Amino acid sequence: MRFLLIGIIVASTTAGEVLQAAGMRRHGEIRDFRPGAIRRAIAVLARNRFVIAAVAAMAVSFFAYLGLLTIADLSFAVPATAITYVLETVLAKYVLKEHVSWLRWAGAALVICGVALVSL
Amino acid sequence: MTHEHARLRVKTWSFAVVVVFSNVFGNFFLKRGMPPSLATPLAYITVLFHPWVALGVLLMIVWMLSRMALLSWADLSYVLPVTAVGYVFVAIVGKVLLNEQITMQRWAGIGLIVAGVALVSGGTAPQTRAGPSQ
């Protein structure tokens, strides 16, 4: 049961976060943090297709995560979902076209090994 | 240009701190408020009105919005490893406040995560590809 939930969480989190990054990058850098400007930015983002799809995927991820928390320790639940790092870094390079330097690959690899040690 | 780099770096670090801590304490309050089991689909909804769970959800909303702002200028392949330092704080919060165990193996994992975060945040710029507004 816990591994089924982790599978759902990993798939929906990866999809949601890559869509979120794609949508936000299309929107452009947020520079104005006064309340009125934030309200306007949220109104614009609420019509951004990437952001809408991201929120839907993250809602699935959130409820599956609530289910996982009822049957697993926090220090198991959080690290076990970290396989998303591998998937998302690969997607960042090939889908979002980011320049993933060797330092970033090395950093991501260290994080993934660390997360595996923490969760096993 | 160096001034622009410095501005972006300070802004990135400030938002990374908010992203990390709203996530760590959001997770903590969710775990603290969750009942031993969620028996029916309706229970998934009603549990959201439990005070600790509601506080956890509120922090998760702060996390989501601050992360979206951060991603409007910073690369996903930068944000991912840098915000991973949250795993370290989750483990520590789990130990200190929920009495979960941290074994030697987990401490080793925490060390690797910290090294990875330091490498990416210290060694690479947050943005490699300007968005449409630049």
Side-chain angles (χ1 to χ4, degrees):
Chain A
M1 184 61 187
R2 61 165 64 174
F3 287 101
L4 172 68
L5 283 172
I6 286 170
I8 295 171
I9 293 167
V10 167
S12 54
T13 305
T14 302
E17 296 195 343
V18 171
L19 284 164
Q20 190 188 44
M24 291 314 293
R25 199 37 98 73
R26 271 168 182 73
H27 175 270
E29 180 181 350
I30 295 175
R31 292 167 181 269
D32 191 344
F33 294 97
R34 284 171 295 189
I38 291 177
R39 264 201 302 278
R40 277 194 298 280
I42 290 176
V44 169
L45 288 169
R47 291 193 294 272
N48 181 319
R49 269 182 227 159
F50 290 92
V51 173
I52 293 167
V55 170
M58 288 165 119
V60 171
S61 158
F62 176 76
F63 283 104
Y65 185 64
L66 283 192
L68 181 62
L69 279 189
T70 62
I71 55 174
D73 270 358
L74 189 58
S75 46
F76 170 83
V78 175
T81 55
I83 185 74
T84 57
Y85 279 77
V86 187
L87 301 171
E88 285 183 45
T89 304
V90 171
L91 290 174
K93 180 172 168 61
Y94 292 104
V95 177
L96 302 176
K97 311 284 187 210
E98 291 175 5
H99 301 289
V100 184
S101 65
W102 71 270
L103 264 176
R104 281 198 190 166
W105 283 119
L110 280 174
V111 166
I112 292 158
C113 295
V115 168
L117 273 182
V118 170
S119 57
L120 293 176
Chain B
M1 201 56 199
T2 47
H3 176 264
E4 171 69 6
H5 281 155
R7 181 193 70 85
L8 211 56
R9 193 164 278 263
V10 170
K11 192 176 168 186
T12 302
W13 276 78
S14 318
F15 271 79
V17 168
V18 176
V19 168
V20 166
F21 282 96
S22 57
N23 185 254
V24 168
F25 287 98
N27 271 305
F28 167 69
F29 287 120
L30 282 182
K31 178 64 183 175
R32 166 153 192 178
M34 288 309 278
S37 75
L38 292 173
T40 64
L42 186 65
Y44 279 81
I45 303 299
T46 54
V47 76
L48 297 179
F49 297 96
H50 183 286
W52 289 123
V53 176
L55 182 58
V57 170
L58 187 70
L59 283 166
M60 288 314 223
I61 291 171
V62 171
W63 169 69
M64 178 122 169
L65 291 178
S66 57
R67 194 170 186 279
M68 284 172 78
L70 182 57
L71 283 170
S72 77
W73 67 84
D75 287 353
L76 182 61
S77 57
Y78 176 93
V79 170
L80 279 176
V82 168
T83 53
V85 75
Y87 287 106
V88 175
F89 292 111
V90 165
I92 291 168
V93 165
K95 177 184 168 63
V96 173
L97 299 175
L98 298 173
N99 292 318
E100 294 178 357
Q101 291 304 307
I102 302 186
T103 59
M104 271 315 290
Q105 186 185 332
R106 278 188 178 163
W107 281 119
I110 287 171
L112 286 179
I113 292 171
V114 169
V117 171
L119 209 57
V120 174
S121 62
T124 75
Q127 191 184 71
T128 59
R129 186 179 58 90
S133 68
Q134 271 80 43

